[in-house]
Amino acid sequence: KNLALSMSMWADAAKLGSVFAHYHLGIAYYYGIDDVEEDEHVAEEDKPRAIQHIQQAAMKGHAESRHWLGQIEFDEGNDDLAVQHY
């Protein structure tokens, strides 16, 4: 339930090469995170940083990350790039 601790642990795991940690960090930075229960802001929205983490996971074979990259490209109007990820 402690989102700040989760972010810290995901960051440590990502440094060690965890695909799932990169994916979760990517999603967290894509939207930004507020911990309502603790009344604290955990992570600022940082789309470039999010994409970097999602790319790291995708390059290591994480299929959902690859889908996310395609969706991001599609949302940006880059259809040719989007279909390469789907």
Side-chain angles (χ1 to χ4, degrees):
K1 286 192 168 198
N2 186 324
L3 296 176
L5 178 60
S6 295
M7 289 292 291
S8 175
M9 292 176 77
W10 286 335
D12 290 343
K15 289 176 188 172
L16 295 172
S18 170
V19 171
F20 297 105
H22 277 295
Y23 171 74
H24 287 292
L25 283 170
I27 302 306
Y29 285 119
Y30 195 81
Y31 292 111
I33 294 181
D34 290 317
D35 189 336
V36 177
E37 289 182 17
E38 298 293 325
D39 193 31
E40 68 178 315
H41 190 68
V42 178
E44 293 287 333
E45 181 182 303
D46 186 344
K47 296 216 189 301
R49 190 173 185 180
I51 291 168
Q52 180 183 13
H53 281 290
I54 295 169
Q55 285 174 334
Q56 287 295 316
M59 287 189 294
K60 293 180 179 186
H62 190 258
E64 195 168 344
S65 294
R66 188 72 188 254
H67 175 82
W68 261 87
L69 291 174
Q71 190 61 50
I72 291 167
E73 293 295 351
F74 178 79
D75 291 345
E76 294 291 321
N78 300 322
D79 297 343
D80 291 339
L81 290 175
V83 297
Q84 293 177 25
H85 293 289
Y86 293 123

XYZ file of all heavy atoms in Angstrom:
690
model
N 0.808 -1.207 0.000
C 0.000 0.000 0.000
C 0.846 1.264 0.000
O 0.347 2.313 -0.323
C -0.933 0.017 1.201
C -2.080 -0.942 1.057
C -3.098 -0.679 2.122
C -4.348 -1.450 1.774
N -5.505 -0.978 2.458
N 2.101 1.181 0.398
C 2.970 2.344 0.441
C 3.558 2.570 -0.953
O 4.504 1.899 -1.360
C 4.066 2.127 1.485
C 4.903 3.353 1.689
O 5.168 4.090 0.754
N 5.324 3.578 2.916
N 2.996 3.533 -1.676
C 3.402 3.764 -3.064
C 4.818 4.318 -3.182
O 5.535 3.978 -4.122
C 2.403 4.689 -3.748
C 0.990 4.124 -3.896
C 0.066 5.162 -4.503
C 1.009 2.870 -4.749
N 5.234 5.150 -2.245
C 6.602 5.684 -2.289
C 7.609 4.548 -2.143
O 8.619 4.508 -2.860
C 6.800 6.736 -1.203
N 7.335 3.621 -1.241
C 8.219 2.471 -1.068
C 8.215 1.600 -2.318
O 9.264 1.125 -2.754
C 7.801 1.654 0.157
C 8.612 0.395 0.442
C 10.083 0.742 0.670
C 8.044 -0.354 1.640
N 7.054 1.429 -2.915
C 6.966 0.651 -4.162
C 7.812 1.265 -5.256
O 8.543 0.564 -5.956
C 5.513 0.559 -4.630
O 4.728 -0.160 -3.722
N 7.723 2.584 -5.410
C 8.522 3.270 -6.427
C 10.005 3.060 -6.179
O 10.770 2.802 -7.111
C 8.197 4.770 -6.449
C 6.845 5.114 -7.009
S 6.683 4.806 -8.778
C 7.762 6.070 -9.442
N 10.413 3.161 -4.934
C 11.816 2.973 -4.580
C 12.280 1.546 -4.895
O 13.356 1.341 -5.464
C 12.021 3.284 -3.094
O 13.338 2.998 -2.707
N 11.444 0.586 -4.543
C 11.808 -0.812 -4.795
C 11.812 -1.122 -6.292
O 12.674 -1.851 -6.776
C 10.856 -1.734 -4.035
C 11.045 -1.634 -2.530
S 9.869 -2.603 -1.585
C 10.575 -4.226 -1.819
N 10.849 -0.556 -7.047
C 10.845 -0.751 -8.500
C 12.094 -0.134 -9.119
O 12.677 -0.714 -10.032
C 9.606 -0.130 -9.132
C 8.334 -0.890 -8.911
C 8.187 -2.228 -8.660
C 7.024 -0.347 -8.927
N 6.861 -2.538 -8.527
C 6.123 -1.407 -8.686
C 6.505 0.928 -9.131
C 4.741 -1.227 -8.647
C 5.132 1.103 -9.086
C 4.268 0.035 -8.855
N 12.510 1.033 -8.624
C 13.716 1.679 -9.152
C 14.944 0.805 -8.904
O 15.779 0.626 -9.796
C 13.898 3.062 -8.536
N 15.049 0.251 -7.704
C 16.175 -0.639 -7.389
C 16.144 -1.881 -8.281
O 17.177 -2.307 -8.803
C 16.150 -1.068 -5.921
C 16.487 0.067 -4.965
O 17.041 1.094 -5.417
O 16.180 -0.079 -3.760
N 14.962 -2.458 -8.435
C 14.828 -3.663 -9.258
C 15.122 -3.370 -10.730
O 15.730 -4.191 -11.427
C 13.435 -4.258 -9.100
N 14.718 -2.194 -11.202
C 14.989 -1.820 -12.594
C 16.495 -1.702 -12.828
O 16.998 -2.114 -13.875
C 14.287 -0.510 -12.942
N 17.212 -1.162 -11.863
C 18.671 -1.065 -11.978
C 19.314 -2.441 -12.099
O 20.371 -2.593 -12.700
C 19.257 -0.322 -10.781
C 18.960 1.150 -10.781
C 19.481 1.811 -9.525
C 19.010 3.247 -9.450
N 19.329 3.868 -8.157
N 18.653 -3.429 -11.526
C 19.145 -4.807 -11.609
C 18.621 -5.535 -12.847
O 18.906 -6.710 -13.043
C 18.748 -5.583 -10.348
C 19.379 -5.075 -9.055
C 18.761 -5.789 -7.852
C 20.890 -5.271 -9.081
N 17.833 -4.834 -13.661
C 17.376 -5.387 -14.927
C 15.994 -6.000 -14.931
O 15.625 -6.676 -15.897
N 15.195 -5.764 -13.910
C 13.850 -6.344 -13.863
C 12.937 -5.753 -14.924
O 12.696 -4.542 -14.955
C 13.225 -6.122 -12.480
O 11.861 -6.473 -12.493
N 12.422 -6.620 -15.762
C 11.489 -6.212 -16.816
C 10.217 -5.639 -16.194
O 9.713 -4.596 -16.626
C 11.143 -7.427 -17.712
C 10.027 -7.104 -18.668
C 12.366 -7.907 -18.448
N 9.688 -6.326 -15.206
C 8.440 -5.892 -14.585
C 8.602 -4.561 -13.854
O 7.688 -3.741 -13.855
C 7.907 -6.977 -13.648
C 7.555 -8.236 -14.373
C 8.367 -9.348 -14.287
C 6.436 -8.297 -15.192
C 8.059 -10.506 -14.981
C 6.120 -9.446 -15.890
C 6.925 -10.557 -15.787
N 9.758 -4.332 -13.256
C 10.011 -3.061 -12.584
C 10.043 -1.921 -13.601
O 9.457 -0.861 -13.362
C 11.320 -3.117 -11.807
N 10.708 -2.140 -14.731
C 10.721 -1.108 -15.779
C 9.297 -0.809 -16.251
O 8.925 0.347 -16.418
C 11.569 -1.558 -16.977
C 13.026 -1.315 -16.803
N 13.575 -0.056 -16.698
C 14.063 -2.180 -16.722
C 14.891 -0.151 -16.568
N 15.204 -1.438 -16.573
N 8.513 -1.862 -16.434
C 7.140 -1.677 -16.889
C 6.339 -0.862 -15.873
O 5.687 0.122 -16.224
C 6.474 -3.030 -17.130
C 4.999 -2.934 -17.400
C 4.534 -2.455 -18.627
C 4.073 -3.299 -16.444
C 3.180 -2.348 -18.875
C 2.716 -3.202 -16.687
C 2.279 -2.725 -17.902
O 0.935 -2.619 -18.147
N 6.390 -1.243 -14.606
C 5.617 -0.545 -13.584
C 6.088 0.895 -13.395
O 5.261 1.799 -13.210
C 5.652 -1.308 -12.258
C 4.828 -2.547 -12.277
N 3.457 -2.532 -12.343
C 5.174 -3.848 -12.263
C 2.993 -3.761 -12.356
N 4.030 -4.587 -12.318
N 7.382 1.119 -13.449
C 7.881 2.495 -13.381
C 7.388 3.300 -14.579
O 7.017 4.472 -14.437
C 9.413 2.512 -13.338
C 10.049 2.152 -12.007
C 11.551 1.978 -12.186
C 9.755 3.200 -10.951
N 7.402 2.682 -15.743
C 6.921 3.364 -16.937
C 5.477 3.814 -16.798
O 5.142 4.966 -17.100
N 4.631 2.924 -16.315
C 3.222 3.281 -16.135
C 3.081 4.363 -15.068
O 2.310 5.321 -15.227
C 2.389 2.030 -15.756
C 2.513 0.955 -16.835
C 0.933 2.402 -15.496
C 2.172 1.404 -18.236
N 3.831 4.233 -13.988
C 3.757 5.225 -12.910
C 4.152 6.612 -13.406
O 3.475 7.605 -13.107
C 4.653 4.797 -11.749
N 5.249 6.698 -14.160
C 5.694 8.000 -14.657
C 4.812 8.507 -15.801
O 4.701 9.710 -16.011
C 7.160 7.953 -15.103
C 8.117 7.926 -13.948
C 8.985 6.863 -13.769
C 8.146 8.952 -13.019
C 9.867 6.827 -12.698
C 9.015 8.935 -11.946
C 9.870 7.869 -11.796
O 10.738 7.849 -10.731
N 4.181 7.617 -16.525
C 3.313 8.055 -17.625
C 2.130 8.857 -17.085
O 1.757 9.873 -17.649
C 2.819 6.846 -18.423
C 2.222 7.234 -19.755
C 3.045 7.503 -20.837
C 0.857 7.362 -19.920
C 2.523 7.881 -22.058
C 0.320 7.733 -21.130
C 1.153 7.997 -22.203
O 0.624 8.384 -23.404
N 1.566 8.405 -15.985
C 0.391 9.074 -15.417
C 0.712 9.959 -14.213
O -0.060 10.844 -13.877
C -0.645 8.036 -14.985
C -1.268 7.315 -16.150
C -0.996 5.975 -16.377
C -2.112 7.967 -17.023
C -1.558 5.306 -17.444
C -2.677 7.314 -18.096
C -2.403 5.979 -18.301
O -2.962 5.327 -19.367
N 1.818 9.694 -13.534
C 2.082 10.346 -12.261
C 1.292 9.625 -11.183
O 0.278 8.981 -11.470
N 1.759 9.683 -9.951
C 1.099 8.955 -8.861
C 0.914 9.857 -7.653
O 1.848 10.525 -7.210
C 1.932 7.730 -8.425
C 1.989 6.709 -9.525
C 1.342 7.103 -7.174
C 2.763 5.471 -9.150
N -0.302 9.840 -7.129
C -0.613 10.454 -5.850
C -1.077 9.353 -4.912
O -1.891 8.521 -5.289
C -1.731 11.494 -5.976
C -1.285 12.727 -6.724
O -0.164 13.197 -6.475
O -2.067 13.226 -7.558
N -0.569 9.346 -3.706
C -1.010 8.395 -2.690
C -2.061 9.097 -1.848
O -1.746 9.893 -0.974
C 0.173 7.936 -1.827
C -0.185 6.787 -0.905
O -1.378 6.629 -0.590
O 0.738 6.063 -0.500
N -3.317 8.800 -2.146
C -4.428 9.475 -1.478
C -4.459 9.142 0.010
O -4.682 10.015 0.849
C -5.765 9.095 -2.152
C -6.936 9.726 -1.424
C -5.752 9.507 -3.613
N -4.202 7.878 0.342
C -4.245 7.466 1.747
C -3.181 8.178 2.585
O -3.413 8.531 3.724
C -4.084 5.952 1.866
C -5.284 5.184 1.375
C -5.122 3.690 1.544
O -4.247 3.247 2.307
O -5.888 2.968 0.895
N -2.002 8.350 2.003
C -0.901 9.002 2.731
C -0.863 10.510 2.480
O -0.043 11.211 3.047
C 0.447 8.388 2.319
C 0.579 6.914 2.639
C 0.605 6.642 4.137
O 1.155 7.464 4.888
O 0.058 5.611 4.534
N -1.745 10.991 1.588
C -1.817 12.401 1.233
C -0.451 12.938 0.792
O 0.044 13.940 1.309
C -2.376 13.235 2.398
C -2.758 14.643 1.959
O -3.160 14.807 0.784
O -2.641 15.574 2.774
N 0.172 12.210 -0.147
C 1.463 12.656 -0.657
C 1.558 12.413 -2.159
O 0.915 11.531 -2.703
C 2.619 11.970 0.069
C 2.753 10.501 -0.196
C 3.944 9.880 0.513
O 5.033 10.465 0.493
O 3.775 8.794 1.076
N 2.343 13.249 -2.795
C 2.605 13.097 -4.228
C 3.835 12.214 -4.372
O 4.886 12.535 -3.836
C 2.831 14.471 -4.853
C 2.862 14.431 -6.334
N 1.749 14.144 -7.080
C 3.871 14.605 -7.205
C 2.080 14.162 -8.358
N 3.357 14.439 -8.461
N 3.683 11.102 -5.062
C 4.758 10.113 -5.134
C 5.619 10.288 -6.373
O 6.843 10.210 -6.307
C 4.172 8.685 -5.069
C 5.265 7.640 -5.196
C 3.392 8.490 -3.781
N 4.988 10.514 -7.528
C 5.756 10.639 -8.778
C 5.088 11.654 -9.695
O 3.883 11.608 -9.911
C 5.852 9.293 -9.477
N 5.886 12.553 -10.226
C 5.399 13.513 -11.213
C 5.172 12.798 -12.539
O 5.871 11.835 -12.857
C 6.433 14.627 -11.452
C 6.668 15.527 -10.276
C 5.515 16.477 -10.026
O 4.784 16.814 -10.984
O 5.341 16.872 -8.871
N 4.223 13.284 -13.309
C 4.058 12.789 -14.679
C 5.307 13.172 -15.463
O 5.725 14.319 -15.463
C 2.823 13.418 -15.317
C 2.565 12.944 -16.720
C 1.352 13.624 -17.326
O 0.262 13.532 -16.750
O 1.533 14.276 -18.376
N 5.931 12.178 -16.084
C 7.163 12.397 -16.837
C 7.158 11.421 -18.012
O 7.696 10.322 -17.929
C 8.366 12.161 -15.928
C 9.691 12.509 -16.578
O 9.743 12.645 -17.823
O 10.685 12.636 -15.843
N 6.501 11.828 -19.099
C 6.304 10.922 -20.227
C 7.612 10.449 -20.876
O 7.735 9.269 -21.166
C 5.359 11.540 -21.245
C 3.958 11.744 -20.669
C 2.899 11.499 -21.671
C 1.526 11.890 -21.235
N 0.939 11.321 -20.106
N 8.612 11.311 -21.082
C 9.869 10.800 -21.645
C 10.521 9.729 -20.761
O 11.012 8.720 -21.260
C 10.745 12.048 -21.748
C 9.784 13.181 -21.862
C 8.620 12.781 -20.991
N 10.498 9.946 -19.469
C 11.056 8.960 -18.542
C 10.222 7.681 -18.574
O 10.759 6.573 -18.524
C 11.074 9.551 -17.129
C 11.829 8.747 -16.129
C 11.903 9.519 -14.838
N 12.737 8.839 -13.868
C 12.976 9.283 -12.652
N 12.454 10.438 -12.265
N 13.723 8.613 -11.821
N 8.909 7.835 -18.661
C 8.010 6.675 -18.740
C 8.318 5.849 -19.975
O 8.457 4.623 -19.902
C 6.557 7.147 -18.769
N 8.449 6.511 -21.106
C 8.710 5.805 -22.362
C 10.056 5.085 -22.300
O 10.186 3.963 -22.789
C 8.612 6.783 -23.553
C 7.144 7.216 -23.721
C 9.160 6.157 -24.825
C 6.945 8.380 -24.670
N 11.034 5.701 -21.668
C 12.347 5.057 -21.528
C 12.220 3.737 -20.769
O 12.772 2.713 -21.180
C 13.323 5.987 -20.817
C 14.691 5.384 -20.633
C 15.624 6.303 -19.869
O 15.213 7.295 -19.259
N 16.893 5.975 -19.888
N 11.472 3.749 -19.671
C 11.288 2.519 -18.896
C 10.479 1.481 -19.680
O 10.812 0.293 -19.670
C 10.609 2.814 -17.556
C 11.534 3.362 -16.526
N 12.525 2.606 -15.938
C 11.621 4.593 -15.983
C 13.186 3.350 -15.072
N 12.655 4.560 -15.083
N 9.439 1.931 -20.348
C 8.613 1.002 -21.123
C 9.435 0.401 -22.262
O 9.329 -0.793 -22.557
C 7.336 1.701 -21.630
C 6.454 2.096 -20.435
C 6.561 0.801 -22.581
C 5.296 3.013 -20.784
N 10.275 1.204 -22.893
C 11.149 0.684 -23.952
C 12.111 -0.367 -23.403
O 12.366 -1.386 -24.059
C 11.948 1.820 -24.598
C 11.140 2.675 -25.523
C 11.917 3.879 -26.028
O 12.855 4.373 -25.383
N 11.516 4.376 -27.192
N 12.658 -0.125 -22.222
C 13.577 -1.099 -21.624
C 12.881 -2.440 -21.422
O 13.449 -3.496 -21.708
C 14.111 -0.584 -20.281
C 15.118 0.525 -20.396
C 16.395 0.062 -21.069
O 16.926 -1.003 -20.781
N 16.874 0.864 -22.010
N 11.659 -2.400 -20.923
C 10.901 -3.639 -20.717
C 10.575 -4.305 -22.047
O 10.708 -5.525 -22.190
C 9.624 -3.352 -19.927
N 10.180 -3.508 -23.038
C 9.820 -4.060 -24.349
C 11.025 -4.722 -25.012
O 10.898 -5.796 -25.611
C 9.256 -2.959 -25.250
N 12.193 -4.100 -24.881
C 13.397 -4.671 -25.499
C 13.796 -5.992 -24.855
O 14.512 -6.785 -25.456
C 14.557 -3.671 -25.418
C 14.386 -2.515 -26.375
S 15.836 -1.436 -26.498
C 15.918 -0.730 -24.867
N 13.308 -6.224 -23.636
C 13.614 -7.484 -22.959
C 12.478 -8.497 -23.115
O 12.441 -9.499 -22.419
C 13.897 -7.222 -21.480
C 15.170 -6.434 -21.272
C 15.440 -6.180 -19.813
C 16.745 -5.393 -19.670
N 17.128 -5.237 -18.289
N 11.546 -8.197 -24.039
C 10.516 -9.165 -24.371
C 9.184 -9.029 -23.667
O 8.325 -9.893 -23.809
N 8.968 -7.956 -22.936
C 7.692 -7.771 -22.232
C 6.634 -7.307 -23.236
O 6.649 -6.175 -23.713
C 7.870 -6.749 -21.103
C 6.707 -6.661 -20.178
N 5.797 -5.650 -20.249
C 6.309 -7.476 -19.166
C 4.882 -5.827 -19.305
N 5.179 -6.932 -18.635
N 5.692 -8.207 -23.555
C 4.712 -7.969 -24.618
C 3.797 -6.783 -24.325
O 3.486 -6.002 -25.236
C 3.884 -9.225 -24.851
N 3.360 -6.634 -23.098
C 2.459 -5.530 -22.783
C 3.156 -4.181 -22.951
O 2.538 -3.199 -23.356
C 1.906 -5.686 -21.369
C 0.715 -4.800 -21.106
C -0.021 -5.154 -19.829
O 0.181 -6.250 -19.290
O -0.795 -4.303 -19.373
N 4.446 -4.133 -22.675
C 5.208 -2.902 -22.887
C 5.259 -2.570 -24.371
O 5.148 -1.408 -24.763
C 6.629 -3.043 -22.334
O 6.605 -3.178 -20.951
N 5.437 -3.583 -25.172
C 5.470 -3.362 -26.623
C 4.133 -2.797 -27.095
O 4.069 -1.886 -27.911
C 5.784 -4.692 -27.319
C 6.042 -4.586 -28.788
C 7.401 -3.927 -29.044
N 7.590 -3.641 -30.438
C 8.394 -4.322 -31.244
N 9.094 -5.324 -30.783
N 8.518 -3.988 -32.499
N 3.045 -3.348 -26.563
C 1.715 -2.836 -26.888
C 1.580 -1.368 -26.464
O 1.047 -0.549 -27.212
C 0.637 -3.701 -26.218
C -0.735 -3.169 -26.410
N -1.455 -3.408 -27.556
C -1.512 -2.393 -25.617
C -2.623 -2.803 -27.461
N -2.686 -2.181 -26.285
N 2.059 -1.054 -25.266
C 2.011 0.329 -24.779
C 2.738 1.278 -25.730
O 2.255 2.365 -26.021
C 2.646 0.421 -23.390
C 1.631 0.413 -22.291
C 1.098 -0.679 -21.677
C 1.034 1.546 -21.683
N 0.209 -0.292 -20.728
C 0.147 1.070 -20.699
C 1.159 2.915 -21.869
C -0.618 1.922 -19.913
C 0.413 3.756 -21.073
C -0.465 3.258 -20.119
N 3.915 0.853 -26.202
C 4.668 1.703 -27.133
C 3.870 1.950 -28.401
O 3.842 3.061 -28.931
C 6.016 1.064 -27.458
C 7.017 1.017 -26.315
C 8.256 0.234 -26.742
C 7.397 2.416 -25.847
N 3.205 0.910 -28.882
C 2.360 1.069 -30.064
C 1.224 2.033 -29.803
O 0.903 2.884 -30.649
N 0.602 1.926 -28.649
C -0.515 2.815 -28.314
C -0.048 4.258 -28.180
O -0.727 5.186 -28.624
C -1.192 2.358 -27.018
C -2.491 3.074 -26.738
C -3.521 2.839 -27.823
O -3.775 1.705 -28.208
N -4.115 3.914 -28.318
N 1.117 4.447 -27.575
C 1.665 5.800 -27.436
C 1.920 6.407 -28.814
O 1.564 7.562 -29.070
C 2.961 5.783 -26.582
C 2.612 5.454 -25.124
C 3.700 7.113 -26.676
C 3.824 5.111 -24.263
N 2.535 5.637 -29.702
C 2.791 6.135 -31.061
C 1.481 6.439 -31.781
O 1.357 7.448 -32.477
C 3.618 5.130 -31.862
C 5.034 4.944 -31.369
C 5.907 6.182 -31.508
O 5.510 7.181 -32.131
O 7.029 6.137 -30.976
N 0.487 5.566 -31.622
C -0.815 5.779 -32.252
C -1.447 7.070 -31.741
O -1.962 7.874 -32.524
C -1.735 4.577 -31.983
C -3.106 4.738 -32.567
C -3.324 4.507 -33.921
C -4.173 5.119 -31.770
C -4.583 4.657 -34.466
C -5.436 5.269 -32.302
C -5.645 5.043 -33.664
N -1.409 7.273 -30.427
C -1.981 8.484 -29.829
C -1.281 9.745 -30.322
O -1.893 10.812 -30.381
C -1.907 8.422 -28.299
C -2.835 7.364 -27.715
O -3.734 6.869 -28.434
O -2.639 7.011 -26.527
N -0.002 9.616 -30.658
C 0.767 10.757 -31.172
C 0.573 10.945 -32.678
O 1.149 11.854 -33.270
C 2.259 10.568 -30.863
C 2.587 10.607 -29.380
C 2.399 11.994 -28.785
O 2.730 12.987 -29.454
O 1.906 12.069 -27.646
N -0.203 10.067 -33.300
C -0.464 10.165 -34.735
C 0.597 9.511 -35.600
O 0.625 9.717 -36.809
N 1.468 8.717 -34.986
C 2.534 8.036 -35.721
C 2.098 6.610 -36.065
O 2.599 5.634 -35.526
C 3.822 8.001 -34.883
C 4.304 9.388 -34.531
O 4.217 10.311 -35.331
N 4.800 9.550 -33.326
N 1.145 6.520 -36.982
C 0.561 5.218 -37.318
C 1.581 4.224 -37.835
O 1.522 3.031 -37.501
C -0.566 5.388 -38.335
C -1.715 6.220 -37.793
O -1.808 6.394 -36.563
O -2.527 6.705 -38.607
N 2.514 4.677 -38.663
C 3.516 3.763 -39.220
C 4.387 3.147 -38.120
O 4.734 1.967 -38.185
C 4.405 4.473 -40.244
C 3.659 4.837 -41.518
O 2.603 4.204 -41.780
O 4.114 5.738 -42.228
N 4.742 3.942 -37.121
C 5.518 3.420 -35.998
C 4.648 2.539 -35.092
O 5.115 1.537 -34.558
C 6.135 4.551 -35.187
C 7.268 5.313 -35.863
C 7.702 6.491 -34.993
C 8.433 4.394 -36.147
N 3.398 2.946 -34.933
C 2.499 2.197 -34.047
C 2.346 0.759 -34.500
O 2.431 -0.178 -33.704
C 1.135 2.885 -33.972
N 2.142 0.545 -35.799
C 1.895 -0.820 -36.286
C 3.143 -1.703 -36.135
O 3.016 -2.914 -36.053
C 1.386 -0.856 -37.748
C 0.051 -0.170 -37.858
C 2.387 -0.251 -38.696
N 4.299 -1.112 -36.039
C 5.508 -1.917 -35.831
C 5.540 -2.537 -34.431
O 6.184 -3.556 -34.227
C 6.761 -1.045 -36.036
C 6.936 -0.595 -37.472
C 8.128 0.315 -37.630
O 9.064 0.267 -36.846
N 8.106 1.133 -38.667
N 4.830 -1.921 -33.502
C 4.799 -2.437 -32.131
C 3.680 -3.431 -31.915
O 3.755 -4.263 -31.024
C 4.653 -1.296 -31.123
C 5.843 -0.413 -31.074
N 7.049 -0.808 -30.533
C 6.042 0.854 -31.510
C 7.918 0.175 -30.632
N 7.331 1.187 -31.223
N 2.623 -3.326 -32.717
C 1.507 -4.258 -32.554
C 1.868 -5.520 -33.256
O 1.565 -6.512 -33.261
C 0.206 -3.692 -33.108
C -0.320 -2.497 -32.330
C -0.551 -1.288 -32.970
C -0.601 -2.591 -30.974
C -1.055 -0.211 -32.261
C -1.098 -1.503 -30.279
C -1.335 -0.313 -30.946
O -1.827 0.742 -30.247
